[in-house]
Amino acid sequence: MNRTPSIIGVVLDFTPTAFFARLALVSAYLVGGIDKLGDWPAALAEQAHFGLTPPALWAALTIAVELIGPLLILSGRLVWLGAGMLGVFTFFAALVANAFWVMPDGPERFAAMNAFFEHMGLVGGFVLVAVLARRGQGDA
């Protein structure tokens, strides 16, 4: 039995809703990729900050993932690949950037823990995008 209120059903059934939801999910990656592409020295410095060497390789891979993944998801073609790229990238980025389990107690650890679990939520969102695309739902 479907108990979804009718107004919510209208919003969910509105064709552009799925596209705008996917756009919201990938927006930070698009902005990040464009920003890094426009400021290569900062992209290199970010990779070096996290100890990734050679930084140029990691910066180029990051830009590619942050631009190609969202475009695949938004285009509705090879959604599983775009969602997989961003999900794996986000998982490993969270491990590298938010390793709260090695930090002493305090506000920095608390912030890193929150950021880590927020990123795990994004990973779950990418899995859902791939599931819905496979099922042919959500205009994906």
Side-chain angles (χ1 to χ4, degrees), residues 15-128:
T15 302
T17 297
F19 176 81
F20 286 116
R22 291 192 317 270
L23 180 60
L25 182 63
V26 302
S27 62
Y29 299 91
L30 283 172
V31 170
I34 292 167
D35 188 49
K36 288 173 185 69
L37 199 56
D39 191 350
W40 182 249
L44 294 176
E46 179 182 50
Q47 302 308 313
H49 169 76
F50 290 115
L52 300 172
T53 57
L57 171 66
W58 290 103
L61 287 172
T62 297
I63 291 167
V65 168
E66 288 186 332
L67 296 177
I68 294 168
L71 293 176
L72 291 174
I73 290 172
L74 294 173
S75 73
R77 300 182 59 77
L78 299 174
V79 173
W80 64 269
L81 179 59
M85 290 169 67
L86 291 172
V88 169
F89 170 80
T90 301
F91 178 78
F92 284 111
L95 290 176
V96 170
N98 300 300
F100 68 91
W101 51 89
V102 298
M103 300 173 135
D105 284 340
E108 288 182 13
R109 181 180 192 276
F110 183 76
M113 184 177 69
N114 282 340
F116 178 84
F117 285 105
E118 287 170 358
H119 284 82
M120 292 305 104
L122 287 169
V123 171
F126 290 122
V127 171
L128 286 173

